[in-house]
mmCIF file with all atom_site columns, all heavy atoms in Angstrom:
data_model
loop_
_atom_site.group_PDB
_atom_site.id
_atom_site.type_symbol
_atom_site.label_atom_id
_atom_site.label_alt_id
_atom_site.label_comp_id
_atom_site.label_asym_id
_atom_site.label_entity_id
_atom_site.label_seq_id
_atom_site.pdbx_PDB_ins_code
_atom_site.Cartn_x
_atom_site.Cartn_y
_atom_site.Cartn_z
_atom_site.occupancy
_atom_site.B_iso_or_equiv
_atom_site.pdbx_formal_charge
_atom_site.auth_seq_id
_atom_site.auth_comp_id
_atom_site.auth_asym_id
_atom_site.auth_atom_id
_atom_site.pdbx_PDB_model_num
ATOM 1   N N   . ARG A 1 53 ? 18.315 -1.923 -30.297 1.00 90.00 ? 76 ARG A N   1
ATOM 2   C CA  . ARG A 1 53 ? 18.511 -0.516 -29.899 1.00 90.00 ? 76 ARG A CA  1
ATOM 3   C C   . ARG A 1 53 ? 17.165 0.113  -29.594 1.00 90.00 ? 76 ARG A C   1
ATOM 4   O O   . ARG A 1 53 ? 16.330 0.292  -30.485 1.00 90.00 ? 76 ARG A O   1
ATOM 5   C CB  . ARG A 1 53 ? 19.198 0.244  -31.064 1.00 90.00 ? 76 ARG A CB  1
ATOM 6   C CG  . ARG A 1 53 ? 19.670 1.653  -30.691 1.00 90.00 ? 76 ARG A CG  1
ATOM 7   C CD  . ARG A 1 53 ? 20.848 1.609  -29.776 1.00 90.00 ? 76 ARG A CD  1
ATOM 8   N NE  . ARG A 1 53 ? 21.496 2.926  -29.641 1.00 90.00 ? 76 ARG A NE  1
ATOM 9   C CZ  . ARG A 1 53 ? 22.505 3.172  -28.808 1.00 90.00 ? 76 ARG A CZ  1
ATOM 10  N NH1 . ARG A 1 53 ? 22.984 2.192  -28.049 1.00 90.00 ? 76 ARG A NH1 1
ATOM 11  N NH2 . ARG A 1 53 ? 23.056 4.348  -28.749 1.00 90.00 ? 76 ARG A NH2 1
ATOM 12  N N   . ARG A 1 54 ? 16.946 0.401  -28.326 1.00 91.00 ? 77 ARG A N   1
ATOM 13  C CA  . ARG A 1 54 ? 15.670 0.978  -27.875 1.00 91.00 ? 77 ARG A CA  1
ATOM 14  C C   . ARG A 1 54 ? 15.934 2.248  -27.086 1.00 91.00 ? 77 ARG A C   1
ATOM 15  O O   . ARG A 1 54 ? 17.063 2.487  -26.629 1.00 91.00 ? 77 ARG A O   1
ATOM 16  C CB  . ARG A 1 54 ? 14.885 -0.013 -27.001 1.00 91.00 ? 77 ARG A CB  1
ATOM 17  C CG  . ARG A 1 54 ? 14.692 -1.389 -27.594 1.00 91.00 ? 77 ARG A CG  1
ATOM 18  C CD  . ARG A 1 54 ? 13.767 -1.373 -28.771 1.00 91.00 ? 77 ARG A CD  1
ATOM 19  N NE  . ARG A 1 54 ? 12.382 -1.111 -28.397 1.00 91.00 ? 77 ARG A NE  1
ATOM 20  C CZ  . ARG A 1 54 ? 11.398 -0.946 -29.246 1.00 91.00 ? 77 ARG A CZ  1
ATOM 21  N NH1 . ARG A 1 54 ? 11.618 -0.992 -30.557 1.00 91.00 ? 77 ARG A NH1 1
ATOM 22  N NH2 . ARG A 1 54 ? 10.159 -0.709 -28.843 1.00 91.00 ? 77 ARG A NH2 1
ATOM 23  N N   . ILE A 1 55 ? 14.894 3.046  -26.882 1.00 93.00 ? 78 ILE A N   1
ATOM 24  C CA  . ILE A 1 55 ? 15.013 4.254  -26.091 1.00 93.00 ? 78 ILE A CA  1
ATOM 25  C C   . ILE A 1 55 ? 14.179 4.065  -24.815 1.00 93.00 ? 78 ILE A C   1
ATOM 26  O O   . ILE A 1 55 ? 13.010 3.664  -24.898 1.00 93.00 ? 78 ILE A O   1
ATOM 27  C CB  . ILE A 1 55 ? 14.524 5.492  -26.860 1.00 93.00 ? 78 ILE A CB  1
ATOM 28  C CG1 . ILE A 1 55 ? 15.349 5.665  -28.134 1.00 93.00 ? 78 ILE A CG1 1
ATOM 29  C CG2 . ILE A 1 55 ? 14.637 6.761  -25.990 1.00 93.00 ? 78 ILE A CG2 1
ATOM 30  C CD1 . ILE A 1 55 ? 14.819 6.758  -29.039 1.00 93.00 ? 78 ILE A CD1 1
ATOM 31  N N   . TYR A 1 56 ? 14.796 4.337  -23.661 1.00 92.00 ? 79 TYR A N   1
ATOM 32  C CA  . TYR A 1 56 ? 14.123 4.099  -22.395 1.00 92.00 ? 79 TYR A CA  1
ATOM 33  C C   . TYR A 1 56 ? 13.977 5.417  -21.599 1.00 92.00 ? 79 TYR A C   1
ATOM 34  O O   . TYR A 1 56 ? 14.943 6.155  -21.456 1.00 92.00 ? 79 TYR A O   1
ATOM 35  C CB  . TYR A 1 56 ? 14.902 3.075  -21.543 1.00 92.00 ? 79 TYR A CB  1
ATOM 36  C CG  . TYR A 1 56 ? 14.885 1.688  -22.135 1.00 92.00 ? 79 TYR A CG  1
ATOM 37  C CD1 . TYR A 1 56 ? 15.900 1.287  -22.988 1.00 92.00 ? 79 TYR A CD1 1
ATOM 38  C CD2 . TYR A 1 56 ? 13.837 0.821  -21.891 1.00 92.00 ? 79 TYR A CD2 1
ATOM 39  C CE1 . TYR A 1 56 ? 15.902 0.013  -23.565 1.00 92.00 ? 79 TYR A CE1 1
ATOM 40  C CE2 . TYR A 1 56 ? 13.825 -0.449 -22.448 1.00 92.00 ? 79 TYR A CE2 1
ATOM 41  C CZ  . TYR A 1 56 ? 14.849 -0.836 -23.284 1.00 92.00 ? 79 TYR A CZ  1
ATOM 42  O OH  . TYR A 1 56 ? 14.846 -2.078 -23.843 1.00 92.00 ? 79 TYR A OH  1
ATOM 43  N N   . ASP A 1 57 ? 12.776 5.656  -21.134 1.00 93.00 ? 80 ASP A N   1
ATOM 44  C CA  . ASP A 1 57 ? 12.495 6.757  -20.233 1.00 93.00 ? 80 ASP A CA  1
ATOM 45  C C   . ASP A 1 57 ? 12.707 6.239  -18.794 1.00 93.00 ? 80 ASP A C   1
ATOM 46  O O   . ASP A 1 57 ? 12.246 5.136  -18.468 1.00 93.00 ? 80 ASP A O   1
ATOM 47  C CB  . ASP A 1 57 ? 11.051 7.234  -20.411 1.00 93.00 ? 80 ASP A CB  1
ATOM 48  C CG  . ASP A 1 57 ? 10.621 8.264  -19.410 1.00 93.00 ? 80 ASP A CG  1
ATOM 49  O OD1 . ASP A 1 57 ? 10.317 7.878  -18.272 1.00 93.00 ? 80 ASP A OD1 1
ATOM 50  O OD2 . ASP A 1 57 ? 10.576 9.453  -19.723 1.00 93.00 ? 80 ASP A OD2 1
ATOM 51  N N   . TYR A 1 58 ? 13.409 6.982  -17.971 1.00 93.00 ? 81 TYR A N   1
ATOM 52  C CA  . TYR A 1 58 ? 13.655 6.489  -16.615 1.00 93.00 ? 81 TYR A CA  1
ATOM 53  C C   . TYR A 1 58 ? 13.561 7.638  -15.631 1.00 93.00 ? 81 TYR A C   1
ATOM 54  O O   . TYR A 1 58 ? 13.642 8.828  -15.981 1.00 93.00 ? 81 TYR A O   1
ATOM 55  C CB  . TYR A 1 58 ? 15.038 5.841  -16.488 1.00 93.00 ? 81 TYR A CB  1
ATOM 56  C CG  . TYR A 1 58 ? 16.211 6.808  -16.700 1.00 93.00 ? 81 TYR A CG  1
ATOM 57  C CD1 . TYR A 1 58 ? 16.810 7.459  -15.647 1.00 93.00 ? 81 TYR A CD1 1
ATOM 58  C CD2 . TYR A 1 58 ? 16.673 7.081  -18.010 1.00 93.00 ? 81 TYR A CD2 1
ATOM 59  C CE1 . TYR A 1 58 ? 17.863 8.348  -15.835 1.00 93.00 ? 81 TYR A CE1 1
ATOM 60  C CE2 . TYR A 1 58 ? 17.713 7.973  -18.210 1.00 93.00 ? 81 TYR A CE2 1
ATOM 61  C CZ  . TYR A 1 58 ? 18.322 8.602  -17.135 1.00 93.00 ? 81 TYR A CZ  1
ATOM 62  O OH  . TYR A 1 58 ? 19.334 9.485  -17.316 1.00 93.00 ? 81 TYR A OH  1
ATOM 63  N N   . ILE A 1 59 ? 13.333 7.275  -14.346 1.00 94.00 ? 82 ILE A N   1
ATOM 64  C CA  . ILE A 1 59 ? 13.256 8.264  -13.272 1.00 94.00 ? 82 ILE A CA  1
ATOM 65  C C   . ILE A 1 59 ? 13.888 7.676  -12.025 1.00 94.00 ? 82 ILE A C   1
ATOM 66  O O   . ILE A 1 59 ? 13.709 6.509  -11.733 1.00 94.00 ? 82 ILE A O   1
ATOM 67  C CB  . ILE A 1 59 ? 11.788 8.702  -12.999 1.00 94.00 ? 82 ILE A CB  1
ATOM 68  C CG1 . ILE A 1 59 ? 11.738 9.815  -11.957 1.00 94.00 ? 82 ILE A CG1 1
ATOM 69  C CG2 . ILE A 1 59 ? 10.926 7.547  -12.574 1.00 94.00 ? 82 ILE A CG2 1
ATOM 70  C CD1 . ILE A 1 59 ? 10.384 10.465 -11.840 1.00 94.00 ? 82 ILE A CD1 1
ATOM 71  N N   . PHE A 1 60 ? 14.707 8.482  -11.359 1.00 94.00 ? 83 PHE A N   1
ATOM 72  C CA  . PHE A 1 60 ? 15.286 8.131  -10.062 1.00 94.00 ? 83 PHE A CA  1
ATOM 73  C C   . PHE A 1 60 ? 14.631 9.017  -9.017  1.00 94.00 ? 83 PHE A C   1
ATOM 74  O O   . PHE A 1 60 ? 14.707 10.251 -9.097  1.00 94.00 ? 83 PHE A O   1
ATOM 75  C CB  . PHE A 1 60 ? 16.808 8.354  -10.031 1.00 94.00 ? 83 PHE A CB  1
ATOM 76  C CG  . PHE A 1 60 ? 17.584 7.471  -10.955 1.00 94.00 ? 83 PHE A CG  1
ATOM 77  C CD1 . PHE A 1 60 ? 18.792 7.883  -11.512 1.00 94.00 ? 83 PHE A CD1 1
ATOM 78  C CD2 . PHE A 1 60 ? 17.138 6.186  -11.270 1.00 94.00 ? 83 PHE A CD2 1
ATOM 79  C CE1 . PHE A 1 60 ? 19.520 7.062  -12.349 1.00 94.00 ? 83 PHE A CE1 1
ATOM 80  C CE2 . PHE A 1 60 ? 17.862 5.369  -12.088 1.00 94.00 ? 83 PHE A CE2 1
ATOM 81  C CZ  . PHE A 1 60 ? 19.060 5.795  -12.662 1.00 94.00 ? 83 PHE A CZ  1
ATOM 82  N N   . VAL A 1 61 ? 13.985 8.418  -7.994  1.00 94.00 ? 84 VAL A N   1
ATOM 83  C CA  . VAL A 1 61 ? 13.262 9.160  -6.992  1.00 94.00 ? 84 VAL A CA  1
ATOM 84  C C   . VAL A 1 61 ? 13.873 8.889  -5.615  1.00 94.00 ? 84 VAL A C   1
ATOM 85  O O   . VAL A 1 61 ? 14.000 7.720  -5.256  1.00 94.00 ? 84 VAL A O   1
ATOM 86  C CB  . VAL A 1 61 ? 11.764 8.787  -6.980  1.00 94.00 ? 84 VAL A CB  1
ATOM 87  C CG1 . VAL A 1 61 ? 11.002 9.584  -5.922  1.00 94.00 ? 84 VAL A CG1 1
ATOM 88  C CG2 . VAL A 1 61 ? 11.139 9.015  -8.339  1.00 94.00 ? 84 VAL A CG2 1
ATOM 89  N N   . PRO A 1 62 ? 14.239 9.938  -4.850  1.00 94.00 ? 85 PRO A N   1
ATOM 90  C CA  . PRO A 1 62 ? 14.811 9.717  -3.531  1.00 94.00 ? 85 PRO A CA  1
ATOM 91  C C   . PRO A 1 62 ? 13.757 9.289  -2.540  1.00 94.00 ? 85 PRO A C   1
ATOM 92  O O   . PRO A 1 62 ? 12.638 9.811  -2.539  1.00 94.00 ? 85 PRO A O   1
ATOM 93  C CB  . PRO A 1 62 ? 15.397 11.089 -3.162  1.00 94.00 ? 85 PRO A CB  1
ATOM 94  C CG  . PRO A 1 62 ? 14.555 12.058 -3.910  1.00 94.00 ? 85 PRO A CG  1
ATOM 95  C CD  . PRO A 1 62 ? 14.183 11.381 -5.200  1.00 94.00 ? 85 PRO A CD  1
ATOM 96  N N   . VAL A 1 63 ? 14.095 8.343  -1.680  1.00 93.00 ? 86 VAL A N   1
ATOM 97  C CA  . VAL A 1 63 ? 13.225 7.970  -0.551  1.00 93.00 ? 86 VAL A CA  1
ATOM 98  C C   . VAL A 1 63 ? 13.867 8.571  0.708   1.00 93.00 ? 86 VAL A C   1
ATOM 99  O O   . VAL A 1 63 ? 14.975 8.189  1.098   1.00 93.00 ? 86 VAL A O   1
ATOM 100 C CB  . VAL A 1 63 ? 13.118 6.447  -0.421  1.00 93.00 ? 86 VAL A CB  1
ATOM 101 C CG1 . VAL A 1 63 ? 12.255 6.076  0.778   1.00 93.00 ? 86 VAL A CG1 1
ATOM 102 C CG2 . VAL A 1 63 ? 12.532 5.864  -1.702  1.00 93.00 ? 86 VAL A CG2 1
ATOM 103 N N   . ILE A 1 64 ? 13.171 9.533  1.318   1.00 92.00 ? 87 ILE A N   1
ATOM 104 C CA  . ILE A 1 64 ? 13.735 10.288 2.435   1.00 92.00 ? 87 ILE A CA  1
ATOM 105 C C   . ILE A 1 64 ? 13.407 9.592  3.749   1.00 92.00 ? 87 ILE A C   1
ATOM 106 O O   . ILE A 1 64 ? 12.244 9.273  4.027   1.00 92.00 ? 87 ILE A O   1
ATOM 107 C CB  . ILE A 1 64 ? 13.193 11.733 2.444   1.00 92.00 ? 87 ILE A CB  1
ATOM 108 C CG1 . ILE A 1 64 ? 13.341 12.384 1.075   1.00 92.00 ? 87 ILE A CG1 1
ATOM 109 C CG2 . ILE A 1 64 ? 13.908 12.560 3.519   1.00 92.00 ? 87 ILE A CG2 1
ATOM 110 C CD1 . ILE A 1 64 ? 14.776 12.506 0.594   1.00 92.00 ? 87 ILE A CD1 1
ATOM 111 N N   . GLY A 1 65 ? 14.430 9.366  4.581   1.00 88.00 ? 88 GLY A N   1
ATOM 112 C CA  . GLY A 1 65 ? 14.222 8.733  5.875   1.00 88.00 ? 88 GLY A CA  1
ATOM 113 C C   . GLY A 1 65 ? 13.816 9.750  6.921   1.00 88.00 ? 88 GLY A C   1
ATOM 114 O O   . GLY A 1 65 ? 13.705 10.980 6.665   1.00 88.00 ? 88 GLY A O   1
ATOM 115 N N   . GLU A 1 66 ? 13.558 9.284  8.130   1.00 88.00 ? 89 GLU A N   1
ATOM 116 C CA  . GLU A 1 66 ? 13.119 10.164 9.200   1.00 88.00 ? 89 GLU A CA  1
ATOM 117 C C   . GLU A 1 66 ? 14.190 11.196 9.572   1.00 88.00 ? 89 GLU A C   1
ATOM 118 O O   . GLU A 1 66 ? 13.875 12.272 10.086  1.00 88.00 ? 89 GLU A O   1
ATOM 119 C CB  . GLU A 1 66 ? 12.753 9.335  10.446  1.00 88.00 ? 89 GLU A CB  1
ATOM 120 C CG  . GLU A 1 66 ? 11.446 8.578  10.290  1.00 88.00 ? 89 GLU A CG  1
ATOM 121 C CD  . GLU A 1 66 ? 11.016 7.948  11.597  1.00 88.00 ? 89 GLU A CD  1
ATOM 122 O OE1 . GLU A 1 66 ? 11.867 7.705  12.470  1.00 88.00 ? 89 GLU A OE1 1
ATOM 123 O OE2 . GLU A 1 66 ? 9.806  7.711  11.736  1.00 88.00 ? 89 GLU A OE2 1
ATOM 124 N N   . ASP A 1 67 ? 15.461 10.855 9.320   1.00 90.00 ? 90 ASP A N   1
ATOM 125 C CA  . ASP A 1 67 ? 16.551 11.797 9.637   1.00 90.00 ? 90 ASP A CA  1
ATOM 126 C C   . ASP A 1 67 ? 16.719 12.855 8.539   1.00 90.00 ? 90 ASP A C   1
ATOM 127 O O   . ASP A 1 67 ? 17.607 13.710 8.617   1.00 90.00 ? 90 ASP A O   1
ATOM 128 C CB  . ASP A 1 67 ? 17.847 11.060 9.864   1.00 90.00 ? 90 ASP A CB  1
ATOM 129 C CG  . ASP A 1 67 ? 18.280 10.267 8.621   1.00 90.00 ? 90 ASP A CG  1
ATOM 130 O OD1 . ASP A 1 67 ? 17.541 10.280 7.620   1.00 90.00 ? 90 ASP A OD1 1
ATOM 131 O OD2 . ASP A 1 67 ? 19.348 9.627  8.681   1.00 90.00 ? 90 ASP A OD2 1
ATOM 132 N N   . GLY A 1 68 ? 15.875 12.823 7.515   1.00 89.00 ? 91 GLY A N   1
ATOM 133 C CA  . GLY A 1 68 ? 15.949 13.826 6.463   1.00 89.00 ? 91 GLY A CA  1
ATOM 134 C C   . GLY A 1 68 ? 16.911 13.497 5.355   1.00 89.00 ? 91 GLY A C   1
ATOM 135 O O   . GLY A 1 68 ? 17.025 14.260 4.382   1.00 89.00 ? 91 GLY A O   1
ATOM 136 N N   . ASN A 1 69 ? 17.610 12.365 5.472   1.00 91.00 ? 92 ASN A N   1
ATOM 137 C CA  . ASN A 1 69 ? 18.572 11.983 4.436   1.00 91.00 ? 92 ASN A CA  1
ATOM 138 C C   . ASN A 1 69 ? 17.987 10.949 3.499   1.00 91.00 ? 92 ASN A C   1
ATOM 139 O O   . ASN A 1 69 ? 16.991 10.273 3.801   1.00 91.00 ? 92 ASN A O   1
ATOM 140 C CB  . ASN A 1 69 ? 19.859 11.437 5.086   1.00 91.00 ? 92 ASN A CB  1
ATOM 141 C CG  . ASN A 1 69 ? 20.610 12.488 5.872   1.00 91.00 ? 92 ASN A CG  1
ATOM 142 O OD1 . ASN A 1 69 ? 20.730 13.637 5.431   1.00 91.00 ? 92 ASN A OD1 1
ATOM 143 N ND2 . ASN A 1 69 ? 21.120 12.113 7.046   1.00 91.00 ? 92 ASN A ND2 1
#
Side-chain angles (χ1 to χ4, degrees):
R76 190 70 168 175
R77 308 291 290 175
I78 301 173
Y79 293 93
D80 173 281
Y81 66 93
I82 184 169
F83 294 151
V84 181
V86 178
I87 310 298
E89 287 189 337
D90 60 358
N92 293 320

